[in-house]
Amino acid sequence: MELRNVTHRSPDGDKEQVLRFWSGEYAEATRSRLEAPWGSETYGLAAAFEAGRCIGTTSYTISPHRVGILSQVFTDADHRGRGVGRATISAAIATFRQQRTRAVYLASAKEWVRAIYRSVGFEFV
């Protein structure tokens, strides 16, 4: 498994691979963020690739005030239970640290994602 940050500067093939997980309005918002920056925020997806194919993602957004949002955790069904989600979340966290993010908001409606967040050290307040 290879981890890559996919941003608006990434090759089109990488962008298309991460977008295959998303549909509807959410896909359009993600696509537009991968086409060009949204103002002065930083946006990308920490993506896991295997044999050139994206097998999982976690998105990160960092505001100009260095406040982050962690969301869009998804792992291809054939690769679940193998640590892909934890790896992409950890890669996104590394980006937050590298960018000196002061706080991170977690976005998730699913308990399994919240369980992964807890397992990498996040606390819900």
Side-chain angles (χ1 to χ4, degrees):
M1 174 172 52
E2 177 187 353
L3 295 171
R4 299 181 208 157
N5 282 328
V6 178
T7 69
H8 68 279
R9 293 186 175 121
S10 296
D12 288 341
D14 285 359
K15 293 178 198 178
E16 288 305 316
Q17 279 292 312
V18 299
L19 287 168
R20 72 186 183 85
F21 293 125
W22 312 109
S23 61
E25 291 178 23
Y26 210 49
E28 287 309 308
T30 302
R31 183 177 303 281
S32 71
R33 288 174 152 200
L34 291 176
E35 288 174 356
W38 276 19
S40 56
E41 77 177 16
T42 299
Y43 177 82
L45 291 121
F49 286 81
E50 188 174 87
R53 182 174 163 256
C54 183
I55 60 171
T57 64
T58 296
S59 77
Y60 55 87
T61 306
I62 306 169
S63 77
H65 302 290
R66 295 192 339 257
V67 175
I69 300 171
L70 189 68
S71 63
Q72 289 178 281
V73 178
F74 188 82
T75 300
D76 180 76
D78 293 337
H79 294 84
R80 291 184 183 152
R82 299 182 188 175
V84 175
R86 182 171 284 122
T88 60
I89 290 170
S90 295
I93 291 168
T95 299
F96 287 135
R97 286 186 174 134
Q98 185 179 48
Q99 297 294 320
R100 300 177 63 212
T101 305
R102 298 180 306 138
V104 175
Y105 292 91
L106 308 174
S108 175
K110 307 223 184 280
E111 179 53 39
W112 68 267
V113 176
R114 289 191 293 270
I116 294 172
Y117 287 160
R118 283 187 208 94
S119 76
V120 296
F122 282 103
E123 294 179 18
F124 290 82
V125 293

